Amino acid sequence: MSSMIDPANIIPKYFQLANILREKIENGEFPAQDAIPSERQLEEQYNLSRPTIRQAIDLLERQGYLYRVHGRGTFVSPPKLQKGMLELTSFSEDMRNRGLTPGGRILEFGYLKPSAKIAKQLGLNDKDAQVLRIKRLRTGNGEPIGLQDSYLALDNGQVITREEIEQKGSIYAILQQKFGIYPTEADETLEVTLATPEEAELMQIPVNSPLLLNERTLWSQDRKAIEFVSILYRGDRYKYFVRLTRKW
Amino acid sequence: MSSMIDPANIIPKYFQLANILREKIENGEFPAQDAIPSERQLEEQYNLSRPTIRQAIDLLERQGYLYRVHGRGTFVSPPKLQKGMLELTSFSEDMRNRGLTPGGRILEFGYLKPSAKIAKQLGLNDKDAQVLRIKRLRTGNGEPIGLQDSYLALDNGQVITREEIEQKGSIYAILQQKFGIYPTEADETLEVTLATPEEAELMQIPVNSPLLLNERTLWSQDRKAIEFVSILYRGDRYKYFVRLTRKW
DNA sequence: GATGTTAAGAGGTCTTTACCAGTTATTTTA
DNA sequence: TAAAATAACTGGTAAAGACCTCTTAACATC
C-alpha cells in the first residue's frame, strides 16, 4: 500500500504524507470543499507528530490543494484553482500546451558584445563580456507565430552549438540537461507594437499589423541572470495567459 | 528598539523576527549574497527556539528575501529578486506603483443577468443570479489609460453603492473593508485588439488604434469566483508587467 | 605535494508537550 | 422561547531536544 508512511524510506515522512493526501484529493476520495480529517485525527491515523502533519499540510496549502480556516478545519480547494499554478514556460512548452507543434528557423546565431540595455538586464559589469545571441522565427503547426530574439549570459566553457538548438528546439532544455541550469524566476512585460516591413515579411502579415511584444529577463536557481529575450507575437494568432496569486 | 522580540506583543514571535530580519536586509545590514547568522546563533541572539527561528526564515524564503543552502547556510537574495514578488494588483494600486494618480469616471452601474460567458467565468449556475456591472473610464494623472468593464458576483446582502466606488475608487478596497473578501488568485489573458469608434472616442485616440485587452477572473481566499473584468488599455500608454516563478 | 579522512558546523527532519485563539453546537439561564 | 454562557472541537504558536545529511576546512596519510 502506498497509503501508509514508510519510516525506512529516504523520502521525508511529511513528504510521503503530502503525496498520500494529494492522491486522495486527486482521485476524489477527499471531495472539493470538504474538510479533510483534523490534524489530531491524522496524527493518530498515520502515527506521526502534529508538526509533521502540519508540514505536509503547509506544503499542499502552498501548492493550492488545500486551504485552512482557523477554528473550522482544513478544506480541499476546488480543482479550478489547484492545478497548473503559475509557471514559467518556454515557447516550445507553451505551444504544446495549446495543442500546436512547435517549430522554427534560426535567423541569427553568434556571440557579440551586448548593448547597454541588454548588459544591464543581464547584470553584466565586465566590459569584455560576450553574450550568445539567437534570433529565431517560431512557428506553431508550421505557421509563423512569433519572432524571438534571445541573449544568453553563459559562463566560460558553457558552449551551445547551432546544431544542438536545431535538434532540441528549446534552449531551456539544453541549459537544464547540459549545464544543470533551471529557469526559476522571470520579469516579463507585454505591450503593443506595430510590424515593421522586415517583421511583416518574416511573419507573412501586412506592414503595421498590431503585434504583442513580450520581453523577459530570466534568472536561474542560483539567482544569476541567464537570459534576456524579446518575443514579438502576431496579434491575430496569440493570446498570453498567466495565473496570478497574492499572499495576504 | 524594534530589533528585539516582545513576548507580550500580539504579533507572533516568528513574525516579529521575520520583520527584524527583513529590515536588516533592506537597510543593508545583511548585504546581498552574504550569509545571515546560523539558526543556532539566532536562537541565542533572540532567545527563541529553533522551530520559531526556522518559521521566520521559511517566511522570508517564500517571500524571496533569503535562500538556504543545505550544509552552508542561509543567504540574502540579491535585491533584483527580492521585492515585489508576483502580486495581484488593482488598477489603483497599479497606477500608484507607476507614480501616477489613479482616477476615473463611472460609465455604467447596475445589476443585470450575466451573459453565458460571464456566468461561466464566475461559476454561476443559478438561472436567476444577478451580477453587479460597473463600467469605468480609468485615468492616470487625468489622462485616459483604459476602459474597465467589471462584473461582480456578490452574495445576497452584499451591497455596493455607486457613491462608495466614487469615493474609494477601488472595488477591491471596498470588498476587503466591507465584506472581508480578499482577492487571492486570478487567471489573466492579454491580447491585441483595435479600437472601435466608441472606444476611440472615450479614450481620445484614433479609430483602429491598437489596444491591449486584459481579461481577468478573480477568486477570493475562500475560493469563490468574485469578479470577471476586462480592461482595454491604450497601446501607447500602457505596458503590462508581471513577475513569474517556477518551482522545480 | 597530492590525496583521502575526519570533525565541526550548517540546514533538514521529527517527536513530545503545552497553551492560545477562533468556530460551532450544546447547554444553561433569564 | 430566546439569549447567553460554555464546552468541545478546529487550526496557530512555541519550546526543547534528538538525530540526520550536506559542506567545508583542517588534518593525517601516502
Side-chain angles (χ1 to χ4, degrees):
Chain A
M1 299 271 273
S2 69
S3 64
M4 284 302 294
I5 304 293
D6 175 9
N9 198 322
I10 331 95
I11 298 172
K13 293 183 184 176
Y14 78 92
F15 208 87
Q16 292 186 49
L17 177 58
N19 285 336
I20 292 170
L21 296 178
R22 186 189 296 108
E23 201 170 319
K24 284 178 189 285
I25 292 166
E26 282 177 341
N27 71 23
E29 198 168 331
F30 291 158
Q33 299 293 15
D34 276 26
I36 66 168
S38 76
E39 297 178 357
R40 269 87 171 180
Q41 285 169 356
L42 291 171
E43 207 173 343
E44 283 210 9
Q45 204 168 329
Y46 292 99
N47 202 25
L48 294 172
S49 70
R50 192 155 155 242
T52 303
I53 304 283
R54 285 180 60 79
Q55 211 174 345
I57 294 177
D58 281 348
L59 190 62
L60 294 175
E61 189 186 20
R62 279 202 300 280
Q63 294 177 345
Y65 287 94
L66 297 173
Y67 64 99
R68 298 201 247 221
V69 182
H70 191 177
R72 298 220 298 129
T74 302
F75 302 86
V76 177
S77 300
K80 269 271 162 121
L81 292 164
Q82 76 185 205
K83 264 177 260 162
M85 293 297 291
L86 175 63
E87 280 203 2
L88 277 171
T89 49
S90 70
F91 181 88
S92 311
E93 266 182 277
D94 189 18
M95 284 299 115
R96 278 189 285 267
N97 284 343
R98 293 161 194 260
L100 300 174
T101 305
R105 178 158 57 91
I106 295 179
L107 304 173
E108 311 258 3
F109 185 97
Y111 287 87
L112 48 78
K113 215 165 94 68
S115 69
K117 176 190 177 187
I118 289 165
K120 182 162 174 284
Q121 293 290 335
L122 292 175
L124 297 173
N125 301 317
D126 185 358
K127 281 173 63 179
D128 298 326
Q130 291 222 321
V131 295
L132 176 58
R133 192 252 187 131
I134 304 162
K135 186 172 177 178
R136 286 185 285 180
L137 178 69
R138 310 299 305 242
T139 59
N141 282 0
E143 285 199 52
I145 300 281
L147 263 180
Q148 182 172 22
D149 202 0
S150 169
Y151 298 83
L152 285 162
L154 293 173
D155 284 346
N156 283 330
Q158 294 180 335
V159 177
I160 297 178
T161 67
R162 189 171 177 139
E163 288 67 37
E164 285 175 306
I165 291 183
E166 273 165 349
Q167 191 200 330
K168 295 267 185 190
S170 164
I171 296 176
Y172 298 166
I174 297 170
L175 289 174
Q176 285 165 43
Q177 291 160 24
K178 211 169 164 185
F179 309 125
I181 294 173
Y182 292 81
T184 299
E185 197 159 340
D187 281 349
E188 292 204 355
T189 61
L190 285 112
E191 61 192 302
V192 177
T193 65
L194 301 177
T196 65
E198 188 203 359
E199 292 159 0
E201 198 200 328
L202 283 165
M203 293 202 270
Q204 301 167 26
I205 49 174
V207 175
N208 282 333
S209 299
L211 302 173
L212 193 59
L213 171 58
N214 179 200
E215 292 187 327
R216 175 192 294 174
T217 305
L218 192 65
W219 289 274
S220 65
Q221 76 276 21
D222 62 359
R223 316 270 155 167
K224 286 182 185 155
I226 50 180
E227 188 195 31
F228 173 80
V229 57
S230 78
I231 315 177
L232 267 176
Y233 290 105
R234 282 181 59 167
D236 59 343
R237 285 290 163 81
Y238 193 80
K239 194 186 226 180
Y240 178 90
F241 174 84
V242 66
R243 174 161 291 179
L244 305 175
T245 55
R246 174 165 187 158
K247 289 282 166 220
W248 293 94
Chain B
M1 299 272 273
S2 71
S3 62
M4 284 302 295
I5 306 293
D6 175 11
N9 198 323
I10 331 96
I11 298 172
K13 292 183 185 178
Y14 79 92
F15 208 86
Q16 291 185 50
L17 177 58
N19 285 335
I20 291 169
L21 295 178
R22 187 188 296 108
E23 202 171 317
K24 284 177 189 285
I25 292 167
E26 282 178 340
N27 70 24
E29 199 167 333
F30 291 158
Q33 299 293 17
D34 275 26
I36 66 167
S38 77
E39 298 178 355
R40 270 83 172 182
Q41 285 169 357
L42 291 170
E43 208 173 339
E44 282 210 9
Q45 204 168 329
Y46 293 99
N47 202 25
L48 295 170
S49 70
R50 190 148 88 103
T52 303
I53 304 282
R54 286 182 60 79
Q55 212 173 342
I57 294 176
D58 281 348
L59 189 62
L60 293 175
E61 189 186 21
R62 280 202 301 278
Q63 295 177 346
Y65 288 94
L66 297 173
Y67 64 101
R68 298 201 248 220
V69 183
H70 192 176
R72 298 219 299 129
T74 301
F75 302 86
V76 177
S77 299
K80 270 275 159 118
L81 291 163
Q82 76 183 209
K83 264 176 264 163
M85 293 297 292
L86 174 66
E87 280 205 0
L88 278 171
T89 49
S90 70
F91 181 87
S92 311
E93 267 183 278
D94 188 18
M95 284 299 115
R96 278 188 285 266
N97 284 343
R98 293 161 194 258
L100 301 175
T101 305
R105 178 159 58 92
I106 294 179
L107 304 174
E108 310 258 2
F109 185 98
Y111 287 86
L112 48 79
K113 216 164 91 72
S115 70
K117 176 191 174 185
I118 287 165
K120 182 163 173 283
Q121 292 292 334
L122 293 176
L124 296 173
N125 302 317
D126 186 359
K127 281 173 61 179
D128 298 325
Q130 291 222 320
V131 294
L132 176 58
R133 192 253 187 131
I134 304 163
K135 186 172 178 179
R136 285 186 287 179
L137 178 68
R138 309 300 304 245
T139 59
N141 282 0
E143 285 198 51
I145 301 281
L147 262 179
Q148 182 172 23
D149 202 0
S150 168
Y151 297 83
L152 286 161
L154 293 172
D155 285 346
N156 282 330
Q158 293 179 335
V159 177
I160 297 178
T161 66
R162 188 171 178 141
E163 287 68 36
E164 284 175 306
I165 291 183
E166 274 165 348
Q167 193 200 329
K168 295 266 186 191
S170 163
I171 296 175
Y172 298 167
I174 297 169
L175 289 174
Q176 286 166 43
Q177 291 161 22
K178 209 168 166 186
F179 309 126
I181 294 172
Y182 293 80
T184 298
E185 198 158 340
D187 280 350
E188 292 204 355
T189 61
L190 285 113
E191 61 191 303
V192 177
T193 65
L194 301 178
T196 64
E198 188 204 359
E199 291 159 0
E201 199 200 327
L202 283 165
M203 293 202 270
Q204 301 165 25
I205 49 174
V207 175
N208 281 332
S209 299
L211 303 174
L212 193 60
L213 171 58
N214 178 200
E215 293 187 327
R216 173 193 295 173
T217 305
L218 191 66
W219 289 275
S220 65
Q221 76 275 22
D222 60 359
R223 315 276 153 165
K224 286 184 185 152
I226 49 179
E227 187 194 33
F228 173 80
V229 58
S230 79
I231 315 178
L232 269 175
Y233 290 106
R234 282 180 59 167
D236 59 343
R237 285 290 162 81
Y238 193 79
K239 193 186 231 182
Y240 178 90
F241 174 84
V242 66
R243 173 161 292 180
L244 305 175
T245 55
R246 174 164 187 159
K247 290 280 166 223
W248 293 96

